[in-house]
Amino acid sequence: MPEPVLDLVSIGRSSVDLYGQQIGGRLEDMASFSKAVGGCPTNIAIGTARLGLKSAVITRVGDEQMGCFILEQLQREGVETSGVVVDPKRLTSLVILGVRDEKTFPLIFYRTDCADAALDESEIDEDFIASAKAVVVTGTHFAIPNAAKAQKKAIALARKHGRKVVFDVDYRPNLWGLAGHAAGEERYIRSDNVTQHLQAILPDCDLIVGTEEELHAAGGSEDTLAAIRNIRALSRATIVCKRGPMGCVVFPGAIPESIEDGIKGPGFPVEVYNVLGAGDAFMSGFLRGWLRDEPVETCCKWANACGAFAVSRLLCSPESPTFAELQFFLKHGSPHRALRHDVAINHVHWATTRRPQAETLMALAIDHRAQVEAMADEAGAPRERIPAFKRLAVDAAARVAKGAPGFGMLLDGRYGREALFRAGDHGFWIARPLEVPGSRPLRLETDADGSLGAALNEWPVDHIAKVLAFYHPDDDAALKAGQEATLKRVALACRQVGRELLVEIICSKNGPVGDDTMASVMRRLYEIGIKPDWWKLEGQPSTAAWAAVDAAIAENDPYCRGVVLLGLDAPAAELEAAFRLAKGASTVKGFAVGRTIFGDAARGWLAGKLDDEAATAMMAERFGQLVGAWQRG
């Protein structure tokens, strides 16, 4: 029998969760929502993938934008999606959720004839099941006859090939028809019919996991120990009883006289913010240990820690920890009972769950506003023409990129709004400026006409916030303090709304630059808590200066995406020399250059000396030359 290539295949529900953002309010009063992938088995697939397991999911999604969102997010998370069927007739399931208080979490399932409920036996492929160490089945999908048959087929195939069967009881009474639509948060209603269905599954399981109430449903008794004994009478599986803040108790063999005599994994004392999704995170942590043959005590510790992360945060799958985050927490702990307030942990979480990024970044920067205005004024052209030129720059970048990864653009929203839309069509990495051009001390454009957070929240989720500071270590204290306060405000806003941050630093305009000048600025910003995803830096004077930049990043943020070089309107030959010098730095990933590429084309086009094609071709040629120079090293 060939060795499995997957750790697990989970089967069942997949949904788009819409979480109300007004904590403490009624669902009736929610004004805005956060969107995330949901559904117990899909959450488990994501949670285990984040913990380093090779996971897959078998489910259905609709042939529409919400189904595409689930598929794309699964792929970003590293989950195998060949078992996901796109249903052309049904819509993706939706769930509306809220947090009223620490005990009340209203939710509504929108599942009428939804895609995942149509899962059937034909979608259970024997080779796919055999390719995994374990199959994870979930209780709710046994409430649907066709889906129940599909899960039973998967169980039979897993047993045939010597694979493990994991059962998450996942009891949702209203999805069994036992409560109304408004009772989505109800966790337990006694039902002999449900117990009968669930008990038919138990003999074929190797691992059974549920809360006390879920084990009551599976065991047919509202006495927890009696329910566990009833389950043991039907199954030799390892039984895991989740007990919320008290942790969990595991029964690998005979059931003792007291529930307290099982193998216990204590819980972690955290503030309960939202219990929804905590069980899926718990299961992910337990499976990370169980499928890697860790001791039961380790499985419990990892499971309880993952559950603690989930209850301390708002969403479901997005809040599951990565293995690096889990290990950081277990090593360092946290001074906060509300883990969502722990800056160090949150940084590890953010940095290890960001969207994938190509190793190299070659960007055409045309976020310039003041400089292009000056070009238009010099040419006698109305500034209203600038947006059309920025659209040509997108066309030029696309000619060079030819759909390959690792290309990007810097574009502004003032003159580049339409260009931003076009750039998104090409899959570019995109960054957008926040600063008032040339401001020193640093000022933000949003300060004059609105909220920074509100502005960022309107951006597409993959747009990076860029802020340029003219900052020198010899600046006076008051200037430094003002610039640092603004940079900290931007960094905080980016984290709060989930946008990557690029900090651009230019030192040379305001003082001498030596081998440690730039690194000292970076160390200072790290010291005050600013950890950009990207740095955009001017060329450094020596290999020693680049080594100092490398060291500053390594010492303060090993998760930093890296450095891109800026151009400062330098001649191409000078830039190529800077490229060669920077290539020795491990953190330098590429460049983001502007006027060297577009300057002459802009002047010629604005003056009417170049038509659209000639200007586009000129920019493409110069961008292509720099790309070639970077790639040659």
Side-chain angles (χ1 to χ4, degrees):
M1 182 182 300
E3 287 296 311
V5 295
L6 295 170
D7 288 299
L8 71 134
V9 174
S10 60
I11 304 173
R13 288 189 290 131
S14 60
S15 64
V16 171
D17 290 352
L18 299 173
Y19 270 89
Q21 294 179 308
Q22 289 72 52
I23 306 304
R26 306 181 308 156
L27 275 185
E28 294 89 331
D29 300 321
M30 290 297 145
S32 58
F33 296 84
S34 292
K35 176 167 66 76
V37 173
C40 172
T42 311
N43 288 340
I44 291 169
I46 290 173
T48 51
R50 287 187 171 188
L51 294 172
L53 296 184
K54 295 177 180 178
S55 64
V57 63
I58 296 175
T59 187
R60 282 195 187 199
V61 298
D63 187 13
E64 22 76 353
Q65 290 85 346
M66 293 297 101
C68 288
F69 164 66
I70 292 175
L71 266 173
E72 291 175 6
Q73 186 60 30
L74 288 171
Q75 290 160 358
R76 282 191 287 266
E77 298 280 4
V79 175
E80 171 59 51
T81 59
S82 59
V84 179
V85 175
V86 177
D87 190 326
K89 297 181 179 179
R90 298 171 180 83
L91 292 170
T92 302
S93 170
L94 298 178
V95 185
I96 308 292
L97 313 95
V99 176
R100 186 69 189 270
D101 55 45
E102 65 178 22
K103 295 181 180 179
T104 310
F105 307 95
L107 73 156
I108 306 168
F109 292 99
Y110 289 79
R111 294 184 54 80
T112 302
D113 198 29
C114 67
D116 71 54
L119 191 70
D120 64 40
E121 291 177 279
S122 67
E123 284 139 18
I124 306 299
D125 179 78
E126 181 169 357
D127 290 340
F128 194 51
I129 296 298
S131 72
K133 292 180 183 177
V135 60
V136 180
V137 295
T138 50
T140 297
H141 250 48
F142 286 110
I144 307 167
N146 53 287
K149 289 180 180 179
Q151 291 202 117
K152 288 175 182 177
K153 179 181 176 181
I155 291 171
L157 291 172
R159 305 237 52 98
K160 174 183 174 181
H161 290 278
R163 307 312 189 205
K164 301 292 186 183
V165 176
V166 178
F167 181 34
D168 189 320
V169 180
D170 181 37
Y171 182 39
R172 298 285 189 175
N174 76 330
L175 298 185
W176 285 85
L178 300 176
H181 292 309
E185 70 175 308
E186 183 66 57
R187 293 308 182 96
Y188 179 74
I189 294 175
R190 183 165 185 167
S191 168
D192 292 338
N193 177 57
V194 171
T195 298
Q196 181 180 353
H197 275 79
L198 299 183
Q199 289 190 344
I201 309 306
L202 304 180
D204 289 319
C205 297
D206 298 286
L207 178 67
I208 299 168
V209 180
T211 63
E212 292 193 57
E213 292 84 359
E214 288 172 335
L215 296 183
H216 294 169
S221 172
E222 294 181 350
D223 177 278
T224 302
L225 190 60
I228 292 170
R229 285 179 174 154
N230 291 344
I231 293 171
R232 173 59 72 237
L234 295 168
S235 175
R236 293 178 295 177
T238 295
I239 304 169
V240 180
C241 178
K242 299 181 290 187
R243 307 177 78 192
M246 294 187 293
C248 64
V249 185
V250 181
F251 304 95
I255 308 303
E257 291 301 313
S258 169
I259 194 171
E260 303 298 333
D261 293 331
I263 299 174
K264 288 194 287 187
F268 292 85
V270 297
E271 175 194 275
V272 175
Y273 192 59
N274 177 22
V275 301
L276 303 172
D280 306 334
F282 175 98
M283 175 67 97
S284 299
F286 198 92
L287 289 175
R288 174 60 171 85
W290 192 71
L291 290 173
R292 294 291 173 86
D293 299 319
E294 297 284 353
V296 171
E297 292 82 358
T298 299
C299 299
C300 293
K301 179 169 65 175
W302 290 354
N304 288 328
C306 289
F309 276 109
V311 300
S312 190
R313 294 168 172 169
L314 177 60
L315 306 176
C316 289
S317 64
E319 316 294 24
S320 286
T322 61
F323 197 64
E325 182 184 4
L326 174 63
Q327 295 304 302
F328 183 94
F329 173 61
L330 293 175
K331 179 179 180 180
H332 300 285
S334 174
H336 300 276
R337 291 189 72 250
L339 296 182
R340 66 188 178 279
H341 294 153
D342 191 303
V343 174
I345 289 175
N346 286 343
H347 179 65
V348 179
H349 180 79
W350 166 259
T352 54
T353 58
R354 289 175 300 208
R355 293 184 174 217
Q357 170 65 41
E359 279 299 306
T360 299
L361 176 58
M362 297 166 289
L364 194 167
I366 190 166
D367 57 324
H368 307 67
R369 287 140 289 159
Q371 297 95 328
V372 182
E373 287 173 346
M375 291 177 185
D377 295 345
E378 182 181 346
R383 291 180 177 181
E384 289 77 13
R385 294 195 67 203
I386 295 174
F389 181 75
K390 295 203 173 192
R391 294 197 297 272
L392 298 181
V394 174
D395 295 339
R399 287 188 190 185
V400 177
K402 298 178 181 177
F407 286 86
M409 296 197 71
L410 274 71
L411 286 160
D412 61 290
R414 184 192 306 175
Y415 294 115
R417 184 171 180 269
E418 293 298 324
L420 282 165
F421 298 155
R422 286 197 184 183
D425 295 336
H426 299 287
F428 287 146
W429 174 98
I430 296 173
R432 302 170 61 167
L434 292 170
E435 75 280 352
V436 172
S439 58
R440 177 175 155 88
L442 172 64
R443 291 180 292 117
L444 305 181
E445 289 192 328
T446 55
D447 291 344
D449 56 11
S451 159
L452 172 60
L456 289 173
N457 208 42
E458 290 182 354
W459 292 7
V461 296
D462 56 349
H463 284 195
I464 291 98
K466 174 230 131 181
V467 60
L468 163 60
F470 294 94
Y471 186 115
H472 194 279
D474 297 336
D475 290 340
D476 67 67
L479 176 58
K480 281 184 179 178
Q483 302 237 92
E484 290 171 0
T486 302
L487 287 168
K488 286 178 70 174
R489 183 157 60 92
V490 171
L492 178 60
C494 285
R495 287 296 168 269
Q496 287 176 332
V497 302
R499 299 297 186 275
E500 290 190 31
L501 170 64
L502 180 152
V503 170
E504 179 176 359
I505 299 294
I506 295 178
C507 298
S508 61
K509 300 288 187 182
N510 299 286
V513 174
D515 287 348
D516 195 52
T517 304
M518 185 62 72
S520 68
V521 173
M522 297 168 70
R523 288 193 296 268
R524 171 58 185 167
L525 296 184
Y526 278 130
E527 181 185 342
I528 63 174
I530 298 171
K531 292 186 175 182
D533 300 274
W534 299 90
W535 292 96
K536 186 175 178 219
L537 307 177
E538 55 196 320
Q540 295 301 294
S542 66
T543 55
W546 278 121
V549 167
D550 278 349
I553 292 173
E555 292 161 9
N556 292 281
D557 184 17
Y559 294 110
C560 178
R561 292 232 196 239
V563 175
V564 290
L565 286 176
L566 56 87
L568 286 178
D569 203 16
E574 188 177 314
L575 275 180
E576 291 180 19
F579 286 1
R580 289 191 292 273
L581 186 62
K583 274 286 192 173
S586 63
T587 56
V588 178
K589 303 302 181 184
F591 64 87
V593 172
R595 283 168 291 170
T596 305
I597 297 170
F598 75 78
D600 288 341
R603 294 183 187 94
W605 185 85
L606 288 165
K609 297 176 181 178
L610 295 174
D611 62 16
D612 289 358
E613 174 55 30
T616 303
M618 180 183 290
M619 287 188 283
E621 180 183 8
R622 294 189 178 184
F623 186 33
Q625 288 173 349
L626 288 182
V627 167
W630 180 261
Q631 292 174 335
R632 288 191 302 272

